[in-house]
């Protein structure tokens, strides 16, 4: 029984990258990243609802679009920009909380991030430690919503990195390294881009959008005898 509960998981060291247990799992001998990812977080081999795999989509906003788009999320984008500039620990904790939707997620990620942020700025003069802790969230978002990675975006725009995309193992390794590099060199912009993406795709776990059905009993009825 103990052997059946163990699943091969070489890459997904962070709990953010774990897929829900209710979703189908891949064969034991095949890493999940070999099959790609669909928009609902399932491996590409499972296909979409109509039986066809879904192609990867670009991010909703670019990494340099600090204020996002001029739509009904404009006020939310301003909040994301301010949080990323003033309190990146709060923005990172909010992003992971929205992505994970588990109790205690915010504190479990915000507090360690804050400690690494203080140590990095105190000892090295810049935030060089926290990005190593926060970059798995970018990989989790990219996989869950089937978003383009850096290598795929470069191949689409300028035609380079085509040889890397041919091998799924090398592609995923390269994309994970690019996620780390994005957080190290463009950390605040990366957090803001992830925050904008999550707010457009997922409701906050504390917001209950399901309508409440109220059952009203019928009024008291009486039967009278006609005379």
């Amino acid at each position: 029984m103990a052997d059946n509960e163990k699943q091969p998981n070489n890459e997904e060291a962070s709990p953010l990258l774990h897929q829900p247990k209710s979703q189908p799992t891949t064969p034991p001998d095949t890493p999940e990243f070999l099959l790609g990812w669909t928009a609902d977080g399932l491996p590409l081999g499972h296909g979409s609802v109509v039986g066809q795999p879904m192609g990867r989509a670009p991010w909703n906003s670019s990494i340099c679009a600090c204020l996002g788009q001029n739509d009904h999320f404009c006020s939310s984008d301003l909040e994301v920009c301010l949080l990323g500039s003033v309190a990146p620990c709060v923005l990172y904790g909010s992003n992971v909380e929205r992505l994970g939707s588990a109790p205690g997620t915010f504190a479990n990620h915000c507090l360690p991030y804050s400690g690494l942020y203080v140590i990095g700025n105190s000892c090295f003069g810049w935030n060089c430690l926290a990005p190593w802790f926060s970059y798995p969230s970018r990989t989790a978002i990219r996989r869950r919503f089937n978003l383009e990675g850096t290598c795929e975006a470069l191949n689409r725009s300028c035609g380079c990195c085509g040889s890397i995309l041919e091998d799924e193992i090398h592609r995923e390794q390269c994309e994970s390294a690019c996620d780390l590099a994005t957080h190290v060199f463009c950390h605040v912009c990366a957090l803001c881009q992830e925050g904008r993406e999550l707010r457009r795709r997922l409701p906050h776990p504390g917001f209950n959008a399901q309508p409440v059905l109220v059952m009203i009993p019928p009024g008291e009825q009486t039967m009278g005898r006609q005379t």
Side-chain angles (χ1 to χ4, degrees):
M1 295 295 294
D3 296 336
N4 296 332
E5 296 178 356
K6 295 181 180 179
Q7 296 292 336
N9 196 356
N10 298 327
E11 277 196 357
E12 301 182 0
S14 171
L16 295 176
L17 305 182
H18 288 285
Q19 299 298 317
K21 294 182 179 180
S22 60
Q23 296 178 350
T25 57
T26 53
D29 298 332
T30 306
E32 290 184 340
F33 58 81
L34 272 175
L35 302 177
W37 301 85
T38 57
D40 56 1
L42 293 175
L44 197 61
H46 290 282
S48 62
V49 178
V50 295
Q52 297 294 331
M54 300 176 63
R56 291 183 178 86
W59 290 71
N60 186 272
S61 59
S62 67
I63 194 170
C64 297
C66 298
L67 300 181
Q69 298 178 352
N70 187 17
D71 53 15
H72 59 284
F73 285 94
C74 181
S75 60
S76 178
D77 294 342
L78 291 174
E79 179 187 354
V80 167
C81 183
L82 290 175
L83 284 177
S85 302
V86 178
C89 57
V90 177
L91 178 58
Y92 170 68
S94 176
N95 290 346
V96 178
E97 182 181 30
R98 192 179 292 262
L99 182 64
S101 300
T105 303
F106 179 86
N108 291 338
H109 289 80
C110 181
L111 295 180
Y113 179 98
S114 301
L116 294 174
Y117 180 87
V118 172
I119 294 174
N121 283 276
S122 300
C123 298
F124 303 100
W126 67 293
N127 185 19
C128 58
L129 299 179
W132 293 81
F133 175 74
S134 62
Y135 89 92
S137 64
R138 187 174 186 85
T139 303
I141 295 171
R142 178 172 55 80
R143 289 179 174 181
R144 178 166 182 176
F145 302 116
N146 200 28
L147 300 175
E148 284 184 345
T150 304
C151 295
E152 292 177 316
L154 290 175
N155 182 67
R156 178 172 54 85
S157 59
C158 60
C160 59
C161 302
S163 59
I164 298 177
L165 300 179
E166 295 176 358
D167 191 334
E168 290 292 335
I169 297 180
H170 292 164
R171 182 194 64 79
E172 185 58 32
Q173 292 175 347
C174 180
E175 297 293 9
S176 298
C178 290
D179 293 338
L180 172 60
T182 302
H183 267 254
V184 170
F185 297 105
C186 304
H187 181 59
V188 174
C189 293
L191 288 180
C192 291
Q193 184 187 30
E194 295 161 14
R196 293 191 298 268
E197 194 74 31
L198 288 173
R199 294 192 180 208
R200 282 168 168 77
R201 292 180 178 270
L202 294 176
H204 193 274
F207 175 71
N208 185 9
Q210 297 181 354
V212 178
L213 181 62
V214 179
M215 301 295 295
I216 302 178
E220 183 179 357
Q221 298 179 358
T222 58
M223 297 182 62
R225 179 181 298 176
Q226 294 181 356
T227 57

